[in-house]
């Protein structure tokens, strides 16, 4: 049970990290985009394929950043 709980927490954490990393990247580049537009919330009036696309991009970016941060923390701890 705790493995499933851990997977759900990591999944949500990775997507949250990915969403906000993309948001800050767009903000640094000077583009006006909202966090809500980068999220994958599906509503009746939204575009479902776009929501899936945003979720996949958030997961990839979040996983990459999470792995890099984990490696940095491990390096600092075991140095």
């Amino acid at each position: 049970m705790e493995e499933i709980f851990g997977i759900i927490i990591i999944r949500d954490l990775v997507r949250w990290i990915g969403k906000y990393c993309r948001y800050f990247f767009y903000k640094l580049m000077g583009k006006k985009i909202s966090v809500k537009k980068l999220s994958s919330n599906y509503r009746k009036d939204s575009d479902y394929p776009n929501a899936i696309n945003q979720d996949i991009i958030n997961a990839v970016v979040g996983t990459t950043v999470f792995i890099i941060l984990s490696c940095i923390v491990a390096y600092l701890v075991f140095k």
Side-chain angles (χ1 to χ4, degrees):
M1 183 66 178
E2 63 188 56
E3 289 89 12
I4 293 172
F5 184 68
I7 290 171
I8 291 171
I9 294 297
I10 292 296
R11 179 189 175 274
D12 290 340
L13 178 69
V14 162
R15 281 169 171 75
W16 184 83
I17 290 171
K19 180 173 50 175
Y20 281 98
C21 283
R22 288 180 62 211
Y23 172 71
F24 289 127
F25 176 75
Y26 284 129
K27 196 169 185 176
L28 285 173
M29 297 302 287
K31 294 188 178 182
K32 303 283 183 183
I33 194 164
S34 67
V35 176
K36 192 171 187 173
K37 195 168 189 176
L38 294 174
S39 69
S40 62
N41 295 336
Y42 176 69
R43 296 176 299 159
K44 290 182 182 179
D45 59 342
S46 70
D47 186 20
Y48 186 71
N50 186 34
I52 296 297
N53 188 26
Q54 294 296 329
D55 188 47
I56 291 171
I57 294 170
N58 288 341
V60 170
V61 171
T63 301
T64 305
V65 171
F66 185 75
I67 289 171
I68 290 170
L69 288 176
S70 298
C71 289
I72 290 171
V73 168
Y75 175 76
L76 292 174
V77 168
F78 296 112
K79 181 178 175 183

Coordinates of all heavy atoms in Angstrom, one line a residue:
M1 N 0.8 -1.2 0.0 CA 0.0 0.0 0.0 C 0.9 1.3 0.0 O 0.5 2.2 -0.7 CB -0.9 0.0 1.2 CG -1.9 1.1 1.3 SD -3.0 1.0 0.0 CE -4.0 2.4 0.3
E2 N 1.9 1.2 0.8 CA 2.8 2.4 0.8 C 3.5 2.7 -0.5 O 3.9 3.8 -0.8 CB 3.7 2.4 2.0 CG 4.7 1.3 2.0 CD 5.5 1.1 3.3 OE1 4.8 1.0 4.3 OE2 6.7 1.2 3.2
E3 N 3.8 1.6 -1.3 CA 4.4 1.8 -2.6 C 3.5 2.5 -3.5 O 3.9 3.4 -4.2 CB 4.8 0.4 -3.2 CG 5.9 -0.3 -2.5 CD 5.5 -1.2 -1.4 OE1 4.2 -1.4 -1.3 OE2 6.3 -1.6 -0.6
I4 N 2.2 2.2 -3.5 CA 1.2 2.9 -4.3 C 1.1 4.3 -3.9 O 1.1 5.3 -4.7 CB -0.1 2.2 -4.2 CG1 0.0 0.8 -4.9 CG2 -1.2 3.0 -4.9 CD1 -1.3 0.0 -4.7
F5 N 1.1 4.6 -2.6 CA 1.1 5.9 -2.1 C 2.3 6.7 -2.5 O 2.2 7.9 -2.9 CB 0.9 5.9 -0.5 CG 0.8 7.3 0.1 CD1 -0.4 8.0 -0.1 CD2 1.8 7.8 0.8 CE1 -0.5 9.2 0.5 CE2 1.7 9.0 1.4 CZ 0.5 9.8 1.2
G6 N 3.5 6.1 -2.4 CA 4.7 6.8 -2.9 C 4.7 7.1 -4.3 O 5.2 8.1 -4.8
I7 N 4.2 6.2 -5.2 CA 4.1 6.4 -6.6 C 3.2 7.6 -6.9 O 3.5 8.4 -7.8 CB 3.6 5.1 -7.3 CG1 4.7 4.1 -7.3 CG2 3.3 5.4 -8.8 CD1 4.3 2.7 -7.8
I8 N 2.1 7.6 -6.2 CA 1.1 8.7 -6.5 C 1.7 10.1 -6.0 O 1.6 11.1 -6.8 CB -0.2 8.5 -5.7 CG1 -0.9 7.3 -6.4 CG2 -1.1 9.7 -5.7 CD1 -2.1 6.8 -5.6
I9 N 2.4 10.1 -4.9 CA 3.0 11.3 -4.4 C 4.1 11.8 -5.4 O 4.2 12.9 -5.8 CB 3.6 11.2 -3.0 CG1 2.5 10.9 -2.0 CG2 4.5 12.3 -2.6 CD1 1.5 12.1 -1.8
I10 N 5.0 10.9 -5.8 CA 6.1 11.2 -6.8 C 5.5 11.7 -8.1 O 6.0 12.6 -8.7 CB 7.0 10.0 -7.0 CG1 7.8 9.7 -5.7 CG2 8.0 10.2 -8.1 CD1 8.7 10.9 -5.2
R11 N 4.4 11.0 -8.6 CA 3.8 11.4 -9.8 C 3.3 12.8 -9.8 O 3.5 13.6 -10.7 CB 2.6 10.4 -10.1 CG 1.9 10.7 -11.4 CD 0.6 9.9 -11.5 NE -0.1 10.3 -12.7 CZ -1.0 11.3 -12.7 NH1 -1.3 12.0 -11.6 NH2 -1.7 11.5 -13.8
D12 N 2.6 13.1 -8.7 CA 2.0 14.5 -8.6 C 3.1 15.5 -8.4 O 3.1 16.6 -8.9 CB 1.1 14.6 -7.4 CG -0.2 13.8 -7.7 OD1 -0.5 13.6 -8.9 OD2 -0.9 13.5 -6.7
L13 N 4.2 15.2 -7.6 CA 5.3 16.1 -7.4 C 6.0 16.3 -8.7 O 6.4 17.5 -9.0 CB 6.2 15.5 -6.3 CG 7.5 16.3 -6.0 CD1 7.1 17.5 -5.3 CD2 8.5 15.4 -5.2
V14 N 6.3 15.3 -9.5 CA 7.0 15.5 -10.7 C 6.2 16.4 -11.7 O 6.8 17.3 -12.3 CB 7.3 14.1 -11.4 CG1 7.6 14.2 -12.8 CG2 8.4 13.4 -10.6
R15 N 4.9 16.2 -11.8 CA 4.1 17.0 -12.7 C 4.0 18.5 -12.2 O 4.0 19.4 -13.0 CB 2.7 16.4 -12.9 CG 2.8 15.2 -13.9 CD 1.6 14.4 -13.9 NE 1.5 13.5 -15.0 CZ 2.2 12.4 -15.0 NH1 3.0 12.1 -14.0 NH2 2.2 11.5 -16.0
W16 N 4.0 18.6 -10.9 CA 4.0 20.0 -10.3 C 5.3 20.7 -10.6 O 5.3 21.9 -11.0 CB 3.7 19.9 -8.8 CG 3.6 21.2 -8.1 CD1 2.5 22.0 -8.1 CD2 4.6 21.9 -7.5 NE1 2.8 23.2 -7.4 CE2 4.1 23.1 -7.0 CE3 5.9 21.7 -7.2 CZ2 4.8 24.1 -6.3 CZ3 6.7 22.6 -6.5 CH2 6.1 23.8 -6.0
I17 N 6.4 20.0 -10.4 CA 7.7 20.6 -10.7 C 7.8 20.9 -12.2 O 8.3 22.0 -12.5 CB 8.8 19.6 -10.3 CG1 8.9 19.5 -8.8 CG2 10.2 20.0 -10.8 CD1 9.8 18.4 -8.3
G18 N 7.4 20.0 -13.0 CA 7.4 20.3 -14.5 C 6.6 21.5 -14.9 O 7.0 22.3 -15.7
K19 N 5.4 21.6 -14.3 CA 4.5 22.7 -14.7 C 5.2 24.1 -14.3 O 5.2 25.0 -15.1 CB 3.2 22.6 -14.0 CG 2.2 23.7 -14.3 CD 0.8 23.4 -13.7 CE 0.8 23.0 -12.3 NZ -0.6 22.8 -11.7
Y20 N 5.7 24.2 -13.0 CA 6.3 25.4 -12.6 C 7.6 25.7 -13.2 O 8.0 26.9 -13.4 CB 6.3 25.5 -11.1 CG 4.9 25.8 -10.5 CD1 4.1 24.8 -10.1 CD2 4.5 27.1 -10.5 CE1 2.8 25.1 -9.6 CE2 3.2 27.5 -10.0 CZ 2.4 26.4 -9.6 OH 1.1 26.8 -9.1
C21 N 8.4 24.7 -13.5 CA 9.7 24.9 -14.3 C 9.4 25.5 -15.6 O 10.1 26.4 -16.1 CB 10.5 23.7 -14.4 SG 11.3 23.2 -12.9
R22 N 8.4 24.9 -16.3 CA 8.0 25.5 -17.6 C 7.5 26.9 -17.5 O 7.8 27.8 -18.3 CB 6.9 24.6 -18.3 CG 7.5 23.3 -18.7 CD 6.4 22.4 -19.4 NE 5.9 23.1 -20.5 CZ 4.6 22.9 -20.9 NH1 3.8 22.2 -20.3 NH2 4.2 23.5 -22.0
Y23 N 6.7 27.2 -16.5 CA 6.2 28.5 -16.2 C 7.3 29.5 -16.0 O 7.3 30.6 -16.7 CB 5.2 28.5 -15.0 CG 4.8 29.9 -14.6 CD1 3.9 30.6 -15.4 CD2 5.2 30.5 -13.5 CE1 3.4 31.9 -15.0 CE2 4.8 31.8 -13.1 CZ 3.9 32.4 -13.9 OH 3.5 33.7 -13.5
F24 N 8.3 29.2 -15.2 CA 9.4 30.1 -14.9 C 10.3 30.3 -16.2 O 10.8 31.3 -16.4 CB 10.2 29.7 -13.7 CG 9.5 29.8 -12.4 CD1 9.3 28.8 -11.5 CD2 8.9 31.1 -12.1 CE1 8.7 29.0 -10.4 CE2 8.2 31.2 -10.9 CZ 8.1 30.2 -10.0
F25 N 10.4 29.2 -17.0 CA 11.2 29.3 -18.2 C 10.5 30.3 -19.2 O 11.1 31.1 -19.7 CB 11.3 27.9 -18.9 CG 12.0 28.0 -20.2 CD1 13.3 28.1 -20.2 CD2 11.3 27.8 -21.3 CE1 14.0 28.2 -21.5 CE2 11.9 27.9 -22.6 CZ 13.3 28.0 -22.6
Y26 N 9.2 30.1 -19.3 CA 8.4 31.1 -20.2 C 8.5 32.5 -19.7 O 8.6 33.4 -20.5 CB 7.0 30.6 -20.4 CG 6.8 29.5 -21.3 CD1 6.1 28.4 -20.9 CD2 7.4 29.5 -22.6 CE1 5.9 27.3 -21.8 CE2 7.2 28.4 -23.4 CZ 6.5 27.3 -23.0 OH 6.3 26.3 -23.9
K27 N 8.5 32.6 -18.4 CA 8.5 34.0 -17.8 C 9.9 34.6 -18.0 O 10.0 35.8 -18.3 CB 8.2 33.9 -16.3 CG 7.9 35.2 -15.6 CD 7.4 34.9 -14.2 CE 7.0 36.3 -13.7 NZ 6.4 36.1 -12.4
L28 N 11.0 33.8 -17.9 CA 12.3 34.3 -18.2 C 12.5 34.7 -19.7 O 13.2 35.6 -20.0 CB 13.4 33.2 -17.9 CG 13.7 33.1 -16.4 CD1 14.6 31.9 -16.2 CD2 14.3 34.3 -15.8
M29 N 11.8 33.9 -20.6 CA 11.9 34.2 -22.0 C 11.0 35.4 -22.4 O 11.1 35.9 -23.5 CB 11.5 33.0 -22.8 CG 12.4 31.8 -22.6 SD 14.1 32.1 -23.0 CE 14.0 32.2 -24.7
G30 N 10.2 35.9 -21.5 CA 9.3 37.1 -21.7 C 8.0 36.8 -22.3 O 7.3 37.7 -22.8
K31 N 7.6 35.5 -22.3 CA 6.3 35.2 -22.9 C 5.2 35.2 -21.8 O 5.4 34.8 -20.7 CB 6.3 33.8 -23.5 CG 7.2 33.7 -24.7 CD 7.0 32.3 -25.4 CE 7.9 32.3 -26.6 NZ 7.7 31.1 -27.3
K32 N 4.1 35.8 -22.1 CA 3.0 35.8 -21.2 C 2.1 34.6 -21.3 O 1.4 34.4 -22.3 CB 2.1 37.1 -21.5 CG 2.8 38.4 -21.5 CD 3.1 38.8 -20.1 CE 3.7 40.2 -20.2 NZ 4.1 40.7 -18.9
I33 N 2.2 33.7 -20.3 CA 1.5 32.5 -20.3 C 1.1 32.2 -18.8 O 1.9 32.5 -17.9 CB 2.3 31.3 -20.9 CG1 1.4 30.1 -21.2 CG2 3.4 30.9 -20.1 CD1 1.9 29.1 -22.1
S34 N -0.1 31.7 -18.6 CA -0.5 31.4 -17.2 C -0.2 30.0 -16.8 O 0.0 29.1 -17.7 CB -2.0 31.7 -17.1 OG -2.7 30.7 -17.8
V35 N -0.1 29.7 -15.5 CA 0.1 28.4 -15.0 C -1.1 27.5 -15.4 O -0.9 26.3 -15.7 CB 0.3 28.4 -13.5 CG1 0.4 27.0 -12.9 CG2 1.5 29.2 -13.1
K36 N -2.3 28.0 -15.4 CA -3.5 27.3 -15.7 C -3.4 26.8 -17.2 O -3.8 25.7 -17.4 CB -4.7 28.1 -15.5 CG -6.0 27.4 -15.6 CD -7.1 28.2 -15.1 CE -8.4 27.4 -15.0 NZ -9.5 28.1 -14.4
K37 N -2.8 27.5 -18.0 CA -2.7 27.1 -19.4 C -1.7 26.0 -19.6 O -1.8 25.2 -20.5 CB -2.3 28.3 -20.3 CG -2.5 28.1 -21.8 CD -2.3 29.4 -22.5 CE -2.7 29.2 -23.9 NZ -2.6 30.4 -24.7
L38 N -0.7 25.9 -18.7 CA 0.3 24.8 -18.7 C -0.2 23.6 -18.0 O 0.5 22.5 -18.1 CB 1.6 25.3 -18.1 CG 2.3 26.4 -18.9 CD1 3.5 26.9 -18.0 CD2 2.7 25.9 -20.2
S39 N -1.3 23.6 -17.3 CA -1.8 22.5 -16.6 C -2.6 21.6 -17.5 O -2.9 21.9 -18.6 CB -2.6 22.9 -15.4 OG -3.9 23.5 -15.8
S40 N -2.9 20.4 -17.0 CA -3.6 19.4 -17.8 C -5.0 19.2 -17.3 O -5.5 18.1 -17.4 CB -2.8 18.1 -17.8 OG -2.7 17.6 -16.5
N41 N -5.6 20.2 -16.7 CA -7.0 20.0 -16.2 C -7.9 19.9 -17.4 O -7.9 20.8 -18.3 CB -7.3 21.2 -15.4 CG -6.5 21.3 -14.1 OD1 -6.0 20.3 -13.7 ND2 -6.4 22.5 -13.5
Y42 N -8.7 18.9 -17.4 CA -9.6 18.7 -18.5 C -11.0 19.2 -18.1 O -11.5 18.8 -17.1 CB -9.7 17.2 -18.9 CG -10.8 16.9 -19.9 CD1 -10.6 17.3 -21.2 CD2 -11.9 16.3 -19.6 CE1 -11.5 17.1 -22.2 CE2 -12.9 16.0 -20.6 CZ -12.7 16.4 -21.9 OH -13.6 16.2 -22.8
R43 N -11.5 20.1 -18.9 CA -12.8 20.6 -18.7 C -13.6 20.3 -20.0 O -13.1 20.0 -21.0 CB -12.8 22.1 -18.5 CG -12.1 22.5 -17.2 CD -12.0 24.0 -17.0 NE -11.2 24.5 -18.2 CZ -11.3 25.7 -18.6 NH1 -12.0 26.6 -18.0 NH2 -10.6 26.1 -19.6
K44 N -14.9 20.5 -19.9 CA -15.8 20.2 -21.1 C -15.4 21.1 -22.3 O -15.5 20.7 -23.4 CB -17.2 20.3 -20.7 CG -17.7 19.3 -19.8 CD -19.2 19.5 -19.5 CE -19.7 18.4 -18.5 NZ -21.0 18.5 -18.2
D45 N -15.1 22.3 -22.0 CA -14.8 23.3 -23.1 C -13.3 23.3 -23.5 O -13.0 24.1 -24.4 CB -15.3 24.7 -22.7 CG -14.6 25.2 -21.5 OD1 -14.0 24.4 -20.7 OD2 -14.6 26.4 -21.3
S46 N -12.5 22.5 -22.9 CA -11.1 22.5 -23.3 C -10.8 21.4 -24.3 O -11.6 20.5 -24.6 CB -10.2 22.3 -22.0 OG -10.3 20.9 -21.6
D47 N -9.6 21.5 -24.8 CA -9.1 20.6 -25.9 C -8.5 19.4 -25.2 O -7.4 19.5 -24.6 CB -8.2 21.3 -26.8 CG -7.7 20.5 -28.0 OD1 -8.5 19.5 -28.3 OD2 -6.7 20.8 -28.6
Y48 N -9.1 18.2 -25.3 CA -8.5 17.0 -24.6 C -7.1 16.6 -25.1 O -6.3 16.3 -24.2 CB -9.5 15.8 -24.7 CG -9.1 14.6 -23.9 CD1 -9.2 14.7 -22.5 CD2 -8.6 13.5 -24.5 CE1 -8.8 13.6 -21.8 CE2 -8.3 12.4 -23.8 CZ -8.4 12.4 -22.4 OH -8.0 11.4 -21.7
P49 N -6.8 16.5 -26.4 CA -5.5 16.2 -26.8 C -4.4 17.2 -26.3 O -3.3 16.8 -26.0 CB -5.6 16.2 -28.3 CG -7.0 15.9 -28.6 CD -7.8 16.6 -27.5
N50 N -4.8 18.5 -26.2 CA -3.9 19.5 -25.7 C -3.6 19.3 -24.2 O -2.5 19.4 -23.8 CB -4.4 20.9 -26.0 CG -3.4 21.9 -25.6 OD1 -2.2 21.8 -25.7 ND2 -3.9 23.1 -25.1
A51 N -4.6 18.8 -23.5 CA -4.4 18.6 -22.1 C -3.5 17.4 -21.9 O -2.6 17.4 -21.0 CB -5.8 18.3 -21.4
I52 N -3.7 16.3 -22.7 CA -2.8 15.2 -22.6 C -1.3 15.6 -23.0 O -0.4 15.2 -22.3 CB -3.3 14.0 -23.5 CG1 -4.6 13.5 -23.0 CG2 -2.3 12.9 -23.6 CD1 -4.6 12.9 -21.7
N53 N -1.2 16.4 -24.0 CA 0.1 16.9 -24.4 C 0.8 17.7 -23.3 O 2.0 17.5 -23.1 CB -0.1 17.7 -25.7 CG 1.3 18.1 -26.3 OD1 2.3 17.4 -26.1 ND2 1.3 19.2 -27.1
Q54 N 0.1 18.6 -22.7 CA 0.6 19.4 -21.6 C 1.0 18.5 -20.4 O 2.1 18.7 -19.8 CB -0.4 20.4 -21.1 CG -0.7 21.5 -22.1 CD 0.4 22.3 -22.5 OE1 1.3 22.6 -21.7 NE2 0.4 22.8 -23.7
D55 N 0.3 17.4 -20.1 CA 0.6 16.5 -19.0 C 1.9 15.8 -19.3 O 2.7 15.6 -18.5 CB -0.6 15.6 -18.8 CG -0.4 14.8 -17.5 OD1 0.0 15.3 -16.5 OD2 -0.6 13.5 -17.6
I56 N 2.0 15.3 -20.6 CA 3.2 14.6 -20.9 C 4.5 15.5 -20.9 O 5.5 15.1 -20.4 CB 3.1 13.9 -22.3 CG1 2.0 12.8 -22.3 CG2 4.4 13.4 -22.9 CD1 1.6 12.3 -23.6
I57 N 4.3 16.7 -21.4 CA 5.5 17.6 -21.3 C 5.8 17.9 -19.9 O 7.0 18.0 -19.5 CB 5.2 18.9 -22.1 CG1 5.0 18.6 -23.6 CG2 6.2 19.9 -21.9 CD1 4.5 19.7 -24.5
N58 N 4.8 18.2 -19.1 CA 5.1 18.4 -17.6 C 5.8 17.3 -17.0 O 6.7 17.5 -16.2 CB 3.8 18.8 -16.9 CG 3.2 20.1 -17.3 OD1 3.9 21.0 -17.8 ND2 1.9 20.3 -17.0
A59 N 5.4 16.0 -17.3 CA 6.0 14.9 -16.7 C 7.4 14.7 -17.1 O 8.3 14.4 -16.3 CB 5.2 13.6 -17.1
V60 N 7.7 14.9 -18.4 CA 9.1 14.8 -18.9 C 10.0 15.9 -18.3 O 11.1 15.6 -17.8 CB 9.1 14.9 -20.4 CG1 10.5 15.0 -21.0 CG2 8.4 13.7 -21.1
V61 N 9.5 17.1 -18.3 CA 10.3 18.2 -17.7 C 10.5 18.0 -16.2 O 11.6 18.1 -15.7 CB 9.7 19.6 -18.0 CG1 10.4 20.7 -17.2 CG2 9.8 19.9 -19.5
G62 N 9.4 17.6 -15.5 CA 9.5 17.4 -14.1 C 10.4 16.2 -13.7 O 11.1 16.3 -12.7
T63 N 10.3 15.1 -14.5 CA 11.2 14.0 -14.2 C 12.7 14.4 -14.4 O 13.5 14.0 -13.6 CB 10.9 12.8 -15.1 OG1 9.5 12.5 -14.9 CG2 11.7 11.6 -14.9
T64 N 13.0 15.1 -15.5 CA 14.3 15.6 -15.7 C 14.9 16.4 -14.6 O 16.0 16.2 -14.1 CB 14.4 16.3 -17.1 OG1 13.9 15.5 -18.1 CG2 15.8 16.7 -17.4
V65 N 14.1 17.4 -14.2 CA 14.5 18.3 -13.1 C 14.6 17.5 -11.8 O 15.6 17.8 -11.0 CB 13.5 19.5 -13.0 CG1 13.8 20.3 -11.8 CG2 13.6 20.4 -14.2
F66 N 13.7 16.6 -11.5 CA 13.7 15.8 -10.3 C 15.0 15.0 -10.2 O 15.6 14.9 -9.2 CB 12.5 15.0 -10.2 CG 12.3 14.2 -8.9 CD1 12.0 14.8 -7.7 CD2 12.6 12.8 -8.9 CE1 11.9 14.1 -6.6 CE2 12.5 12.1 -7.7 CZ 12.1 12.8 -6.5
I67 N 15.4 14.4 -11.3 CA 16.6 13.5 -11.4 C 17.8 14.4 -11.2 O 18.7 14.0 -10.4 CB 16.6 12.7 -12.7 CG1 15.6 11.6 -12.7 CG2 18.0 12.1 -12.9 CD1 15.4 10.9 -14.0
I68 N 17.9 15.5 -11.8 CA 19.0 16.4 -11.7 C 19.1 16.9 -10.2 O 20.2 16.9 -9.7 CB 18.9 17.6 -12.7 CG1 19.1 17.1 -14.1 CG2 19.9 18.7 -12.3 CD1 18.8 18.1 -15.2
L69 N 18.0 17.3 -9.7 CA 18.1 17.8 -8.3 C 18.4 16.6 -7.3 O 19.2 16.9 -6.4 CB 16.7 18.4 -7.9 CG 16.4 19.7 -8.4 CD1 15.0 20.1 -8.0 CD2 17.4 20.8 -8.0
S70 N 17.9 15.4 -7.6 CA 18.3 14.3 -6.7 C 19.8 14.0 -6.8 O 20.4 13.7 -5.8 CB 17.5 13.1 -7.1 OG 16.1 13.3 -7.0
C71 N 20.4 14.1 -8.0 CA 21.8 13.8 -8.2 C 22.6 14.9 -7.5 O 23.7 14.6 -6.9 CB 22.2 13.8 -9.7 SG 21.5 12.3 -10.5
I72 N 22.2 16.2 -7.6 CA 22.9 17.2 -6.9 C 22.9 17.0 -5.4 O 23.9 17.2 -4.7 CB 22.3 18.6 -7.3 CG1 22.7 18.9 -8.7 CG2 22.8 19.7 -6.4 CD1 22.0 20.1 -9.3
V73 N 21.7 16.7 -4.8 CA 21.6 16.5 -3.4 C 22.4 15.3 -3.0 O 23.1 15.3 -2.0 CB 20.1 16.3 -3.0 CG1 20.0 15.8 -1.6 CG2 19.4 17.6 -3.2
A74 N 22.4 14.2 -3.8 CA 23.2 13.0 -3.4 C 24.7 13.3 -3.5 O 25.5 12.9 -2.6 CB 22.9 11.9 -4.4
Y75 N 25.1 14.1 -4.4 CA 26.5 14.5 -4.6 C 26.9 15.4 -3.3 O 28.0 15.1 -2.8 CB 26.7 15.3 -5.8 CG 28.1 15.9 -6.0 CD1 29.2 15.0 -6.3 CD2 28.4 17.2 -5.7 CE1 30.5 15.5 -6.4 CE2 29.7 17.7 -5.8 CZ 30.7 16.9 -6.2 OH 32.0 17.3 -6.3
L76 N 26.1 16.3 -2.9 CA 26.4 17.1 -1.8 C 26.4 16.4 -0.5 O 27.2 16.6 0.4 CB 25.4 18.3 -1.7 CG 25.5 19.3 -2.8 CD1 24.4 20.4 -2.7 CD2 26.9 20.0 -2.8
V77 N 25.6 15.4 -0.3 CA 25.5 14.6 0.9 C 26.7 13.6 1.0 O 27.3 13.5 2.0 CB 24.2 13.8 1.0 CG1 24.2 12.8 2.1 CG2 23.0 14.8 1.2
F78 N 27.0 13.0 -0.1 CA 28.1 12.0 -0.1 C 29.5 12.5 -0.5 O 30.4 11.7 -0.7 CB 27.7 10.8 -0.9 CG 26.5 10.1 -0.4 CD1 25.3 10.1 -1.1 CD2 26.5 9.4 0.8 CE1 24.2 9.5 -0.6 CE2 25.4 8.8 1.3 CZ 24.2 8.8 0.6
K79 N 29.6 13.7 -0.6 CA 30.9 14.3 -1.0 C 31.9 14.2 0.0 O 31.9 14.3 1.2 CB 30.7 15.8 -1.4 CG 31.9 16.5 -1.9 CD 31.6 17.9 -2.2 CE 32.9 18.6 -2.6 NZ 32.6 20.0 -2.9

